[in-house]
Amino acid sequence: MLRRVISEHADDAREVQEPDASQIALTWSGEPGRLEELTHGMLLEQADRAAAALARYGVRAGDRVAVHLPLVPESVIATLACGRLEAIRTTLPVSLTVPELAARIRETGIRVLITADAAFWDGAIRPVKPVLDHALARTATAGGLPHTVLVVNRCSRPVSWKPGRDKWWHEALATD
């Protein structure tokens, strides 16, 4: 009898911990007219792909991954990916100025940095990667630069590119 009760409670706990993969886990409303919904299954699958991509770029347990993103689904996915690898997620708010961003980059010792091409806020498209590029240029002489910058395409804006360092997020996640 006791085993049956324990087993029933274990099954109930498993259902709470492992929600139906088809249930909506994340609803995001951003740029005008843009709504994204990710199910638990989609979110976990993208987190697995992101973790695999980060691992391909050399991220291991204890390494720092900087996330310089607006509030977008990729920020959540990056957090879950870091958790899977036991990497340390470091937030670099998109509101930081170039000197503030440069100082934070120097302090963190990051291996990979995740950013966006641009972001939509306050009714306008604002640059994100160009600000980051200026900050990275300021830190170049100090060393400690990320080996890889993954760029999330949020606003389809032309963006400067450093071959060998910069890579598109969606392409990195598509490679298996």
Side-chain angles (χ1 to χ4, degrees):
M1 165 104 167
L2 183 57
R3 277 191 176 162
R4 192 180 85 226
V5 171
I6 291 172
S7 178
E8 287 173 9
H9 285 291
D11 289 341
D12 290 344
R14 197 171 300 111
E15 286 179 24
V16 170
Q17 292 174 352
E18 298 174 15
D20 182 1
S22 65
Q23 290 179 331
I24 299 297
L26 178 72
T27 300
W28 177 82
S29 176
E31 296 92 48
R34 188 164 183 181
L35 177 73
E36 293 182 34
E37 290 187 332
L38 296 173
T39 64
H40 286 280
M42 292 164 66
L43 189 60
L44 295 175
E45 189 261 335
Q46 287 192 37
D48 286 342
R49 287 179 172 278
L54 292 174
R56 276 194 306 278
Y57 296 123
V59 175
R60 303 287 177 257
D63 287 342
R64 292 186 184 276
V65 174
V67 179
H68 180 247
L69 289 171
L71 297 175
V72 294
E74 290 83 2
S75 183
V76 175
I77 293 163
T79 301
L80 293 171
C82 287
R84 280 181 165 45
L85 297 173
E86 297 181 13
I88 301 164
R89 181 198 196 274
T90 300
T91 300
L92 299 175
V94 293
S95 60
L96 294 177
T97 65
V98 169
E100 292 168 332
L101 196 52
R104 294 279 296 270
I105 291 168
R106 275 193 300 273
E107 294 167 0
T108 59
I110 52 178
R111 181 176 262 325
V112 173
L113 197 151
I114 303 168
T115 193
D117 55 353
F120 189 87
W121 74 85
D122 291 336
I125 294 177
R126 306 278 175 101
V128 175
K129 186 170 184 292
V131 173
L132 174 69
D133 285 338
H134 288 304
L136 289 173
R138 282 188 173 204
T139 58
T141 56
L145 291 175
H147 303 289
T148 304
V149 175
L150 295 174
V151 183
V152 176
N153 185 354
R154 292 308 301 183
C155 297
S156 298
R157 307 282 295 174
V159 62
S160 62
W161 206 256
K162 182 170 182 183
R165 181 196 72 186
D166 297 349
K167 304 185 183 334
W168 286 113
W169 168 266
H170 63 277
E171 290 176 0
L173 269 60
T175 304
D176 271 335

